[in-house]
Amino acid sequence: MAALDLTSTVSADTRLLRFITCGSVDDGKSTLLGRLLYDAGMVPEDQLAALARDSRKLHAEAPEALDFALLTDGLDAERQQGITIDVAYRYFHTPRRSFIVADCPGHEQYTRNMATGASNAQLAVVLVDARKGLLPQTRRHSYICALMGIRQVVVAVNKMDLVDCREDVYAAIAHEYRELATQLGITRVHCLPVVAPGGDNVGQHSMRMPWYQGPTLLELLESADTAATQGEDFRMPVQWVNRPDASFRGYAGTVCGGRIAVGTEIVVQPAMRRARVERIVTADGDLTEAVAGQAVTLTLDREIDASRGDVIADAACPAPVADQFAAHVLWMGDEPLLPHRAYWLKIGSHTVNARVSSIKHKVDVNTQAELAARRLDLNEVGYCNLELDHAIAFESYEANRTLGGFILIDRTTNATVGCGMLDFALRRASNVHWQHTDLDKEVRSASKGQRARCLWFTGLSGAGKSTIANLVERRLHSLGYHTYMLDGDNLRHGLNKDLGFTAEARVENVRRVAEVANLMVDAGLIVLVCVISPFQSERRFARGLFDEGEFLEVFVDTTLEECERRDPKGLYRKARAGEIFNFTGIDSPYEAPEQAELHLLTAGLRAEQLAEQVVEQLLAGLGHTPR
């Protein structure tokens, strides 16, 4: 099998440019892109004929004019409204270069779509309407481009024919944008005046603006720098372990930084296992060396434990490893980001449990002002502290997009709800270590003659959680078990006295209670937790702190009508009167458990009977029977 020509591969990669078009609504992004495809000779005759027919239908007043926006606005809703909604990708080429372009929507509510398009781009074409100048959405998109690591921008000042092709209008806009780019850290900016429908300065120089002597848009794209932000040190996330038979074991992935050669000593992170590269295998044969952007399989000179999500790095310069970070997060979910809520974080080929421990500030993407925030809503950007459940190998996003960029995934719906860029590891991530102790949970439990458990009682206010749990604890005490009861109301007199009842405060309330309950289980106790804990995600977080079988969710299922009838604390009456806000069941939701270990249907049963159900199930799990 012939060896792969590495030189030609690298050369081919450098000929591909990924770029986006963005800007405010009606600036003419789709028209410009359509015209660019037309001038590049990428519109076949049949498609051109279809374009002419569609243009006549939509613009009967100008039957000969071509509406180039129709080449990229593929959705019916886009054509009807004359706007871009989703990101439209197009491939085209010229004799000098190949291109993949993402036409991004201009409306503010589709900012997350625009961020998706920018995440893999090397250059942005930002359109500005010559009549309007820089608009808030222009600034918003430019900020997100900078956030996503785009450092070269082409500013196309469009619709110059509507301002009589005046050079002073163009110059003022170009000057204002360059000032904005300096603030955002965008280092390379080229401005040019265009008239998208007529193709002025798109694929050919404009006769109407002889004062502009610079390159056309197509020439700028053909000469743009395609170097990716990948870092100089060798990095390769393991995508999968390639083992077709017992005689071959390789680690497959795409090199995302530096280069690797046969014989180089590498380290598998985060476990820091060392080996040397024995072979670099590709579909076209073995290589002596591989560089960033190549998909390869590495075989090593010794058997080591490496799996998907690990990072193979040069042993002489391994990647940093940490479990706490400062990062920018662009929120893309319809439900807000709440601190301490658990999500999955996917970075490279690795997926870990994560939560935002705090939002340091959110950013006004129009002015870049830093604003206080307790949550992030759709399309908002925040600077946050992240905590992971275990350490990962990483790079800052500025140094390496692959090992510095991540997405956040909702653990219930599996929807991508956020994307982010790692900035640096928090110092406490490397300075704080778990202290080993000789006595562990098993020893402490054995000394008490029991197995530690957490009974998590959840349900509406007034459902009977504390009443039932109190009876359960009394029964367990009479049987000689060591217990402790954590009641939500009691904890709000001390540990959680600083928390209110907003969604953010409820998340933090449950987190604190769960951590305390986990410590008590570690002490060998049977702990009974009574908190409303209305959100499934927080109960899932609590369960995740405990070992398999230690956590028993007890759903005290009492109807809202019955809870209101009881109303032992008068809270429902106050909530109905508007004296209390964010009250569960009234103006704040309760997400009922889907798979609780014990579902207590309270209708028609006394609290003593319900408590006995709990005791029986607990003792059965402990291998005991009630006396």
Side-chain angles (χ1 to χ4, degrees):
M1 191 177 293
L4 181 66
D5 184 345
L6 184 61
T7 304
S8 64
T9 301
V10 175
S11 176
D13 287 343
T14 59
R15 290 182 64 236
L16 175 64
L17 175 70
R18 296 175 181 269
F19 71 97
I20 63 169
T21 59
C22 56
S24 192
V25 179
D26 294 331
D27 281 349
K29 297 179 298 299
S30 298
T31 301
L32 179 72
L33 179 54
R35 181 70 201 209
L36 188 63
L37 295 173
Y38 177 79
D39 286 350
M42 294 302 297
V43 183
E45 290 297 328
D46 58 340
Q47 192 174 359
L48 192 60
L51 175 63
R53 289 195 304 270
D54 292 344
S55 298
R56 283 194 295 269
K57 291 178 184 177
L58 292 174
H59 308 285
E61 73 284 358
E64 300 304 318
L66 296 178
D67 186 347
F68 290 105
L70 299 179
L71 289 174
T72 55
D73 284 345
L75 301 176
D76 286 341
E78 292 178 329
R79 293 193 173 202
Q80 292 168 7
Q81 300 179 52
I83 62 172
T84 301
I85 296 175
D86 203 356
V87 180
Y89 291 92
R90 282 288 187 276
Y91 169 84
F92 69 101
H93 63 86
T94 67
R96 295 181 59 189
R97 170 167 280 175
S98 298
F99 304 92
I100 296 177
V101 55
D103 182 22
C104 297
H107 280 71
E108 181 176 347
Q109 62 264 40
Y110 302 125
T111 299
R112 55 184 171 183
N113 305 55
M114 179 266 165
T116 302
S119 61
N120 290 315
Q122 300 150 308
L123 177 146
V125 177
V126 178
L127 266 78
V128 178
D129 188 324
R131 300 168 301 173
K132 303 174 183 177
L134 270 61
L135 297 175
Q137 192 68 339
T138 314
R139 297 176 179 275
R140 172 184 291 268
H141 283 182
S142 297
Y143 171 76
I144 292 175
C145 286
L147 195 64
M148 293 292 179
I150 296 175
R151 293 294 178 263
Q152 50 184 340
V153 170
V154 174
V155 182
V157 183
N158 193 22
K159 304 185 181 182
M160 287 296 298
D161 55 324
L162 302 182
V163 294
D164 300 324
C165 296
R166 290 169 51 192
E167 184 178 5
D168 61 325
V169 173
Y170 161 77
I173 293 173
H175 176 73
E176 185 179 3
Y177 191 91
R178 286 194 172 94
E179 288 186 337
L180 172 64
T182 300
Q183 296 172 14
L184 298 177
I186 297 173
T187 54
R188 283 170 285 178
V189 177
H190 193 105
C191 302
L192 76 164
V194 301
V195 179
D200 295 62
N201 292 327
V202 177
Q204 57 188 4
H205 287 87
S206 173
M207 301 297 292
R208 290 186 280 185
M209 292 174 281
W211 44 266
Y212 175 74
Q213 298 297 313
T216 65
L217 176 59
L218 193 56
E219 290 170 342
L220 286 169
L221 295 176
E222 288 178 328
S223 60
D225 182 13
T226 58
T229 305
Q230 295 176 316
E232 298 180 358
D233 300 324
F234 171 69
R235 306 284 186 259
M236 190 189 86
V238 177
Q239 187 171 355
W240 65 291
V241 179
N242 184 356
R243 194 170 188 188
D245 54 55
S247 65
F248 183 92
R249 178 192 292 271
Y251 304 98
T254 300
V255 180
C256 68
R259 60 180 61 236
I260 187 69
V262 172
T264 302
E265 186 179 20
I266 56 88
V267 62
V268 177
Q269 298 183 273
M272 302 300 290
R273 299 181 181 90
R274 290 175 176 260
R276 288 190 181 276
V277 176
E278 192 172 68
R279 294 175 60 193
I280 302 175
V281 183
T282 74
D284 297 309
D286 284 14
L287 304 176
T288 58
E289 187 179 62
V291 298
Q294 287 186 281
V296 297
T297 295
L298 303 182
T299 67
L300 308 177
D301 66 345
R302 63 184 66 120
E303 292 284 340
I304 61 173
D305 182 14
S307 58
R308 177 178 172 84
D310 289 339
V311 173
I312 299 178
D314 191 329
C317 46
V321 174
D323 61 1
Q324 298 182 53
F325 306 93
H328 282 93
V329 174
L330 169 62
W331 193 243
M332 305 163 74
D334 294 322
E335 296 296 322
L337 180 152
L338 302 178
H340 304 296
R341 175 161 286 178
Y343 301 95
W344 284 318
L345 180 145
K346 189 174 188 300
I347 181 168
S349 57
H350 203 179
T351 301
V352 296
N353 291 308
R355 62 191 180 94
V356 173
S357 57
S358 65
I359 300 174
K360 302 174 78 170
H361 61 260
K362 70 177 180 181
V363 180
D364 184 328
V365 295
N366 298 321
T367 65
Q368 289 75 61
E370 298 177 359
L371 309 174
R374 295 185 177 181
R375 62 166 66 189
L376 293 181
D377 291 313
L378 175 64
N379 294 328
E380 289 188 327
V381 176
Y383 195 59
C384 308
N385 286 346
L386 287 172
E387 292 182 1
L388 313 186
D389 63 347
H390 62 270
I392 61 170
F394 76 100
E395 297 275 10
S396 69
Y397 186 79
E398 186 152 349
N400 189 305
R401 283 193 182 187
T402 302
L403 294 183
F406 62 88
I407 60 172
L408 293 174
I409 302 170
D410 186 281
R411 291 158 54 111
T412 302
T413 65
N414 288 320
T416 298
V417 292
C419 65
M421 291 63 64
L422 297 182
D423 192 0
F424 57 85
L426 299 179
R427 181 173 295 178
R428 59 178 177 268
S430 57
N431 292 345
V432 179
H433 305 277
W434 188 267
Q435 177 63 46
H436 171 76
T437 59
D438 293 332
L439 299 183
D440 59 15
K441 177 169 47 186
E442 285 68 27
V443 172
R444 299 184 188 104
S445 298
S447 70
K448 298 176 178 61
Q450 63 187 36
R451 276 180 262 174
R453 291 289 185 272
C454 175
L455 298 177
W456 190 279
F457 292 80
T458 178
L460 294 169
S461 177
K465 300 182 297 298
S466 298
T467 300
I468 297 169
N470 184 55
L471 292 170
V472 170
E473 186 177 33
R474 286 175 53 185
R475 175 69 168 136
L476 293 175
H477 178 72
S478 70
L479 295 174
Y481 291 99
H482 298 261
T483 64
Y484 194 86
M485 181 171 162
L486 293 172
D487 181 79
D489 282 355
N490 292 347
L491 290 171
R492 283 187 177 273
H493 286 283
L495 177 68
N496 295 336
K497 69 187 301 181
D498 60 319
L499 300 177
F501 292 90
T502 62
E504 301 92 323
R506 289 177 183 274
V507 172
E508 173 63 4
N509 179 65
V510 172
R511 186 194 71 82
R512 293 184 191 178
V513 175
E515 295 284 3
V516 172
N518 186 39
L519 291 174
M520 290 190 164
V521 167
D522 191 59
L525 297 175
I526 297 174
V527 58
L528 300 88
V529 177
C530 302
V531 286
I532 294 174
S533 49
F535 304 127
Q536 290 188 45
S537 57
E538 276 58 72
R539 297 195 298 270
R540 190 181 297 109
F541 164 78
R543 183 186 293 274
L545 295 178
F546 298 88
D547 292 338
E548 185 70 28
E550 283 183 348
F551 185 91
L552 284 78
E553 189 173 30
V554 182
F555 177 27
V556 183
D557 190 356
T558 307
T559 65
L560 177 61
E561 292 74 20
E562 176 60 20
C563 291
E564 285 202 69
R565 187 192 65 77
R566 296 176 183 177
D567 203 9
K569 305 167 189 174
L571 299 178
Y572 284 98
R573 177 183 54 78
K574 292 181 179 179
R576 292 292 187 189
E579 299 174 19
I580 297 177
F581 300 100
N582 301 313
F583 191 77
T584 302
I586 304 301
D587 57 350
S588 184
Y590 177 78
E591 300 173 357
E594 296 176 348
Q595 293 181 322
E597 279 75 13
L598 193 55
H599 188 173
L600 301 181
L601 295 166
T602 62
L605 294 177
R606 292 179 291 107
E608 291 77 8
Q609 294 172 296
L610 297 166
E612 197 58 33
Q613 290 184 36
V614 178
V615 173
E616 288 178 1
Q617 177 138 337
L618 174 64
L619 296 186
L622 295 175
H624 296 265
T625 55
R627 301 170 190 172

